[in-house]
C-alpha cells in the first residue's frame, strides 16, 4: 500500500488526480492540500509515502515546500507543473518524477510505475537537495507555530540546539521546535551558521565575543545575552570564520 | 524653451539655395548692365548686395522666430496669411534700409544714387517684395512640410513597431505557457466529470485565442470589444479558481463606446490574477470599472491583496505605458498603486468615441 498526498491549488486539477489515482487498489489518498504551507503541514503530520506536488501555488511554491523537507525522511516527490520550467530540468529523473500539465492517463501510469519501483527501496535524497539549490532555502526556515507552520527569516535565528530528533530554533522572541536533525538544518541554512558543539550551532552574525576557559575550552557569548559552550573539536572551525 | 516640435527641416540646404539665388541675381544684374556706359561696374553689386543683405536679415528672423506658426502647417492658407501679415513691416524696413545703404555707399564713392520718385520706388519695391516673399515662403513651406512629413512618418513607424511588439507580447502572454497549459489541464480534468463545462471552457479558450488574433491586428478598438476580451479571459480564470475569486464589472454605455488602444487592458487584468488570486489562499475580489469623466475615459482594475513588485510583471506594464504614451502622449496616464486595502491599476486617457 502506498499512501499518497495530492497538492494543487486548482480544484479541477485535484479532481483529475484523485479520480485516476483512486482506481488503483495499491494507492491510498491520505489527503489533499490547496497551498504550500498546508501541504508542508500535511506532509509533517500525515507522513505520506509520495506527494503529487504542484509547483505554482499561493504562499509557498511546490519547490519551496520540497526545499523545507528533511531530506532523510522526505516522501517521494512527483512535481506537477503546467510548464517545462527551467527549475524542473535541474531534477534528476531518478530522484523525482514530474508531470507536465495536461498529462494523460498513460503518462500518470508511468509515474506510478516509477513510484512503485522506488517505494520501499533505498531512499534517494537528491530531490530535496536539488529543490534547496533551486530556491533560496538558506534564507528562510519553515517552523511550526501552534497548529500552523510559518516561515521565518534565517537571519532572525540566533542559535540552534539539537534535542533528540528535534531542533530548538532560538530567535529573539520565540523558541520553535522543529522535527528535523541539526545536520539537515545546517545543510539547508548553509554558511550563516557555524557548529560550536555536537548539539549546538550559532548564527555567526549573533556572536558578540568569546571568552577562554581553562584547558582550551571557550564560552561563546551571543548578542542576545545567551552563553554557549564551545567544544574543543569545533574551536578551529569557528576561529577561522570569526572576523578579526 | 519646452521641447516644441521643430520643423526647420534642413536649414543648411535652405541657406545654400538662398546663397545660390543671390549669386544668380548679382550675376544677372552685372550681365544686364555691363555694356551700359552710364553705369559703373560696381553699381549692380551695390544694388544687389544691399537687397541681399536686408533680405537675409529677414530670412534669418523668419527662421529663428516663426516656429509658432508651425502648428498651422496643415493649413497652408493660414500659414501663408500669418507670414504675409508681416509684409508692411518688411516692406518699410527693407526699403528704408536698402536705400539708406545705397545712398551711403554712393556718397562714400563721391557719387549720387539717382532713382525715381519715392512714391514710385515704394510701389515698385513693394510689388517686387510681395512676389519675392511669396516665392520664398513657398520654398520654406516646402522644406518645413517635408520635414514635418518625415517626422510624422517616423512617429507612425514607431507606433507600428510598438504595436507589433505589444501584439507579440500579447500573444505570448495569451499563449503564455502557464495560462494556456493550466487552462488545458482544467479542461482535461473537467472532461472526466462535467463534459458540458469542459466543452464550454474549451470554446471560450478558442474564442479568446481567435479574438486576440483579430483584435491584435488593429491599433485601436472600442472599449466594448476590449471588455469582451477581458470577460472571456476572466471566465476561463473563473473555472480554474472557482470559489477563490469574485469579479465585478461596471461600465457605462458611454464608456463602452470609447476608443482605446487594442489589448491595452488585458495585461492589467492578468496582473490582478497573477498577483492577487494565484498568490493568495483567501478569496480575492476583482473590480473592473470604466467610466467617462468629462473629456477623459477612466478604467480601474482593482484587486484585494497587497502590492507586490515582481521582476517578471514589469514587461507587460511597461508595454502598456509605452503604448499609451505613443498614442496619446502625456494626455494619458497609467498608475499601479495601493488603494482601499488592495491594488489598483488605473488608466486615464482622452475620451474619443470609437468609429469602426
Amino acid at each position: 500500500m502506498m499512501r499518497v498526498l495530492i497538492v494543487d491549488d486548482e480544484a479541477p486539477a485535484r479532481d483529475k488526480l484523485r479520480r485516476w489515482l483512486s482506481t488503483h487498489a495499491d494507492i491510498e489518498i491520505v489527503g489533499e492540500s490547496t497551498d504550500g504551507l498546508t501541504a508542508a503541514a500535511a506532509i509533517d503530520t500525515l507522513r505520506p509515502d509520495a506527494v503529487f506536488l504542484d509547483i505554482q501555488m499561493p504562499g509557498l511554491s511546490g519547490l519551496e515546500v520540497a526545499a523545507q523537507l528533511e531530506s532523510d525522511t522526505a516522501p517521494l516527490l512527483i512535481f506537477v507543473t503546467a510548464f517545462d520550467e527551467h527549475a524542473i530540468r535541474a531534477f534528476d529523473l531518478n530522484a523525482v518524477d514530474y508531470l507536465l500539465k495536461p498529462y494523460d492517463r498513460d503518462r500518470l501510469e508511468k509515474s506510478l510505475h516509477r513510484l512503485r519501483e522506488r517505494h520501499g527501496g533505498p531512499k534517494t535524497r537528491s530531490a530535496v537537495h536539488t529543490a534547496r539549490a533551486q530556491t533560496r532555502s538558506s534564507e528562510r526556515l519553515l517552523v511550526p507555530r501552534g497548529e500552523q507552520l510559518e516561515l521565518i527569516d534565517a537571519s532572525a535565528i540566533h542559535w540552534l540546539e539539537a534535542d533528540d530528533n528535534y531542533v530548538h530554533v532560538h530567535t529573539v522572541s520565540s523558541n520553535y521546535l522543529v522535527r528535523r536533525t541539526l545536520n539537515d538544518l545546517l545543510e539547508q541554512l548553509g554558511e550563516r551558521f557555524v557548529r560550536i558543539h555536537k548539539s549546538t550551532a550559532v548564527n555567526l552574525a549573533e556572536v558578540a565575543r568569546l571568552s577562554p576557559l581553562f584547558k582550551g575550552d571557550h564560552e561563546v557569548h551571543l548578542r542576545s545575552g545567551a552563553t554557549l559552550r564551545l567544544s574543543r573539536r569545533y574551536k578551529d572551525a569557528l576561529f577561522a570564520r570569526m572576523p578579526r | 524653451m519646452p521641447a516644441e516640435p521643430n520643423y526647420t527641416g534642413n536649414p543648411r540646404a535652405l541657406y545654400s539655395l538662398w546663397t545660390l539665388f543671390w549669386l544668380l541675381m548679382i550675376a544677372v544684374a552685372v550681365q544686364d548692365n555691363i555694356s551700359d556706359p552710364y553705369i559703373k561696374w560696381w553699381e549692380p553689386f551695390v544694388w544687389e548686395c544691399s537687397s541681399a543683405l536686408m533680405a537675409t536679415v529677414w530670412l534669418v528672423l523668419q527662421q529663428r522666430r516663426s516656429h509658432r506658426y508651425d502648428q498651422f502647417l496643415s493649413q497652408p492658407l493660414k500659414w501663408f496669411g500669418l507670414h504675409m501679415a508681416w509684409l508692411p513691416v518688411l516692406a518699410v524696413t527693407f526699403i528704408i534700409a536698402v536705400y539708406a545703404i545705397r545712398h551711403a555707399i554712393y556718397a562714400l564713392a563721391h557719387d549720387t544714387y539717382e532713382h525715381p520718385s519715392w512714391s514710385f520706388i515704394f510701389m515698385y519695391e513693394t510689388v517686387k517684395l510681395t512676389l519675392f516673399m511669396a516665392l520664398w515662403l513657398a520654398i520654406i513651406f516646402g522644406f518645413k512640410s517635408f520635414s514635418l512629413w518625415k517626422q510624422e512618418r517616423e512617429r507612425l513607424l514607431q507606433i507600428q513597431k510598438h504595436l507589433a511588439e505589444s501584439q507579440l507580447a500579447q500573444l505570448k502572454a495569451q499563449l503564455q505557457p502557464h495560462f494556456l497549459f493550466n487552462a488545458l489541464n482544467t479542461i482535461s480534468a473537467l472532461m472526466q466529470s462535467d463534459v458540458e463545462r469542459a466543452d464550454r471552457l474549451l470554446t471560450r479558450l478558442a474564442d479568446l485565442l481567435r479574438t486576440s488574433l483579430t483584435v491584435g491586428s488593429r491599433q485601436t478598438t472600442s472599449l466594448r470589444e476590449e471588455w469582451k476580451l477581458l470577460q472571456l479571459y476572466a471566465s476561463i480564470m473563473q473555472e480554474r479558481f472557482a470559489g477563490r475569486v469574485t469579479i465585478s464589472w461596471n461600465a457605462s454605455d458611454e464608456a463602452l463606446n470609447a476608443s482605446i488602444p487594442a489589448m491595452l487592458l488585458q495585461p492589467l487584468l492578468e496582473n490582478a490574477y497573477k498577483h492577487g488570486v494565484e498568490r493568495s489562499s483567501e478569496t480575492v475580489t476583482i473590480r473592473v470599472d470604466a467610466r467617462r469623466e468629462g473629456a477623459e475615459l477612466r478604467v480601474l482594475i482593482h484587486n484585494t491583496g497587497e502590492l507586490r513588485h515582481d521582476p517578471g510583471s514589469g514587461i507587460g506594464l511597461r508595454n502598456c505605458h509605452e503604448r499609451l504614451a505613443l498614442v496619446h502622449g502625456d494626455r494619458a496616464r497609467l498608475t499601479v498603486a495601493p488603494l482601499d486595502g488592495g491594488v489598483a491599476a488605473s488608466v486615464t486617457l482622452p475620451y474619443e468615441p470609437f468609429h469602426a
Side-chain angles (χ1 to χ4, degrees):
Chain A
M1 200 59 155
M2 189 154 47
R3 303 171 70 251
V4 169
L5 177 73
I6 296 173
V7 183
D8 199 307
D9 62 327
E10 293 179 43
R14 291 195 303 275
D15 294 345
K16 176 175 165 176
L17 256 180
R18 189 194 321 114
R19 184 178 300 269
W20 282 353
L21 289 178
S22 60
T23 60
H24 291 267
D26 64 335
I27 286 174
E28 182 198 352
I29 298 166
V30 294
E32 292 182 17
S33 304
T34 58
D35 65 65
L37 276 181
T38 56
I43 292 171
D44 210 33
T45 54
L46 300 171
R47 297 270 148 186
D49 299 313
V51 183
F52 285 87
L53 193 52
D54 183 27
I55 290 189
Q56 223 191 5
M57 282 188 299
L60 211 58
S61 80
L63 285 177
E64 287 171 315
V65 171
Q68 297 285 345
L69 297 174
E70 186 178 43
S71 57
D72 283 341
T73 58
L76 295 167
L77 300 174
I78 299 103
F79 288 115
V80 186
T81 179
F83 185 48
D84 188 8
E85 279 151 301
H86 174 69
I88 202 89
R89 274 175 245 142
F91 287 90
D92 175 6
L93 270 180
N94 290 319
V96 69
D97 198 4
Y98 60 88
L99 288 172
L100 290 177
K101 290 177 180 177
Y103 49 88
D104 64 10
R105 200 149 184 163
D106 287 348
R107 184 64 188 81
L108 180 64
E109 294 299 329
K110 211 181 261 175
S111 278
L112 287 175
H113 182 71
R114 282 191 184 141
L115 267 186
R116 289 188 188 103
E117 268 185 348
R118 287 216 308 278
H119 181 47
K123 290 256 181 190
T124 51
R125 313 187 333 165
S126 61
V128 171
H129 289 191
T130 310
R132 283 180 189 165
Q134 293 296 307
T135 57
R136 286 159 60 202
S137 63
S138 61
E139 301 290 318
R140 302 194 295 175
L141 182 68
L142 199 60
V143 294
R145 184 186 199 79
E147 295 292 293
Q148 311 257 306
L149 293 178
E150 70 175 21
L151 279 174
I152 57 171
D153 277 339
S155 59
I157 301 170
H158 292 170
W159 60 292
L160 303 163
E161 182 187 18
D163 183 356
D164 245 350
N165 289 326
Y166 288 82
V167 172
H168 293 278
V169 176
H170 299 272
T171 68
V172 63
S173 53
S174 308
N175 178 0
Y176 305 95
L177 194 59
V178 180
R179 187 159 73 173
R180 283 171 66 176
T181 63
L182 184 58
N183 274 336
D184 189 56
L185 272 189
L186 289 177
E187 206 174 81
Q188 178 192 330
L189 297 173
E191 294 283 281
R192 198 191 300 268
F193 291 86
V194 183
R195 207 157 186 155
I196 57 168
H197 190 268
K198 197 169 73 122
S199 60
T200 335
V202 291
N203 184 341
L204 209 57
E206 291 297 323
V207 175
R209 64 191 171 84
L210 303 176
S211 59
L213 299 174
F214 46 83
K215 281 192 186 170
D217 274 357
H218 284 75
E219 272 181 338
V220 179
H221 301 271
L222 300 189
R223 291 181 206 284
S224 58
T227 304
L228 307 170
R229 174 80 175 276
L230 168 65
S231 92
R232 241 168 298 171
R233 207 178 129 200
Y234 296 101
K235 192 183 70 179
D236 290 345
L238 177 65
F239 283 5
R241 297 280 310 278
M242 289 291 287
R244 288 180 192 268
Chain B
M1 215 166 91
E4 226 168 77
N6 185 350
Y7 307 115
T8 317
N10 190 343
R12 194 186 268 174
L14 181 70
Y15 284 121
S16 303
L17 196 63
W18 180 262
T19 311
L20 211 66
F21 171 82
W22 279 106
L23 285 176
L24 200 69
M25 292 291 282
I26 294 169
V28 169
V30 170
Q31 176 79 37
D32 269 357
N33 297 300
I34 196 119
S35 52
D36 191 331
Y38 297 104
I39 292 174
K40 292 179 195 79
W41 66 270
W42 51 267
E43 283 180 88
F45 280 100
V46 174
W47 304 335
E48 295 306 320
C49 287
S50 55
S51 299
L53 182 70
M54 271 320 287
T56 304
V57 166
W58 272 97
L59 176 74
V60 170
L61 261 175
Q62 194 277 342
Q63 288 291 300
R64 293 254 166 102
R65 309 305 296 269
S66 74
H67 295 311
R68 73 191 110 152
Y69 298 149
D70 284 351
Q71 53 181 311
F72 301 113
L73 276 172
S74 53
Q75 299 155 262
L77 278 179
K78 182 150 192 189
W79 188 86
F80 273 98
L82 284 166
H83 275 95
M84 288 311 267
W86 285 90
L87 183 65
V89 186
L90 184 140
V92 170
T93 53
F94 183 88
I95 295 164
I96 292 173
V98 163
Y99 280 78
I101 292 169
R102 290 181 191 170
H103 277 289
I105 292 177
Y106 272 79
L108 281 175
H110 302 291
D111 212 333
T112 36
Y113 179 42
E114 285 169 18
H115 56 78
S117 73
W118 283 108
S119 54
F120 176 81
I121 285 296
F122 196 80
M123 287 294 293
Y124 169 78
E125 292 289 350
T126 303
V127 169
K128 236 174 71 175
L129 273 172
T130 310
L131 292 174
F132 177 83
M133 191 172 166
L135 169 73
W136 277 95
L137 279 177
I139 292 170
I140 291 167
F141 182 81
F143 270 101
K144 285 201 178 231
S145 301
F146 179 69
S147 100
L148 172 71
W149 172 77
K150 250 179 34 186
Q151 284 186 26
E152 282 285 300
R153 197 187 54 167
E154 234 155 72
R155 196 171 142 259
L156 211 67
L157 279 176
Q158 274 253 295
I159 289 180
Q160 278 168 353
K161 191 172 143 250
H162 274 263
L163 187 71
E165 276 169 5
S166 81
Q167 272 170 22
L168 201 67
Q170 200 69 25
L171 275 176
K172 269 193 200 147
Q174 251 137 35
L175 299 174
Q176 191 207 50
H178 273 115
F179 169 73
L180 189 63
F181 291 122
N182 272 315
L184 287 174
N185 192 58
T186 308
I187 293 166
S188 154
L190 283 175
M191 246 160 42
Q192 314 288 330
S193 56
D194 191 340
V195 179
E196 291 287 323
R197 254 176 84 196
D199 188 58
R200 205 163 53 230
L201 187 56
L202 187 62
T203 312
R204 280 178 190 162
L205 186 62
D207 279 346
L208 183 70
L209 294 180
R210 191 172 14 247
T211 313
S212 46
L213 282 170
T214 48
V215 169
S217 59
R218 273 181 286 161
Q219 214 184 105
T220 53
T221 182
S222 65
L223 184 61
R224 201 179 298 280
E225 282 297 314
E226 189 80 352
W227 209 249
K228 274 188 212 152
L229 201 66
L230 292 182
Q231 290 184 328
L232 216 47
Y233 178 83
S235 70
I236 292 170
M237 296 307 263
Q238 199 68 27
E239 292 285 349
R240 282 179 54 199
F241 298 109
R244 273 170 57 193
V245 55
T246 54
I247 185 161
S248 65
W249 305 85
N250 191 358
S252 66
D253 213 42
E254 202 181 18
L256 288 176
N257 287 331
S259 150
I260 188 164
M263 302 192 299
L264 181 80
L265 300 175
Q266 203 189 313
L268 304 178
L269 184 61
E270 266 178 38
N271 273 352
Y273 276 97
K274 210 161 31 188
H275 303 302
V277 185
E278 286 179 25
R279 296 285 183 77
S280 167
S281 308
E282 281 144 41
T283 304
V284 171
T285 306
I286 298 180
R287 208 176 73 223
V288 191
D289 289 341
R291 60 173 182 271
R292 179 179 177 177
E293 284 175 359
E296 291 185 325
L297 173 72
R298 186 146 186 254
V299 184
L300 192 89
I301 298 177
H302 178 268
N303 67 275
T304 54
E306 49 189 295
L307 182 64
R308 285 189 182 87
H309 286 288
D310 256 26
S313 69
I315 303 161
L317 208 59
R318 202 185 59 210
N319 206 295
C320 291
H321 267 297
E322 284 179 359
R323 292 203 46 214
L324 265 181
L326 268 174
V327 180
H328 292 294
D330 50 12
R331 292 183 302 153
R333 294 180 300 282
L334 166 61
T335 58
V336 178
L339 181 78
D340 300 339
V343 182
S346 161
V347 180
T348 311
L349 64 164
Y351 180 91
E352 286 158 19
F354 179 73
H355 304 289

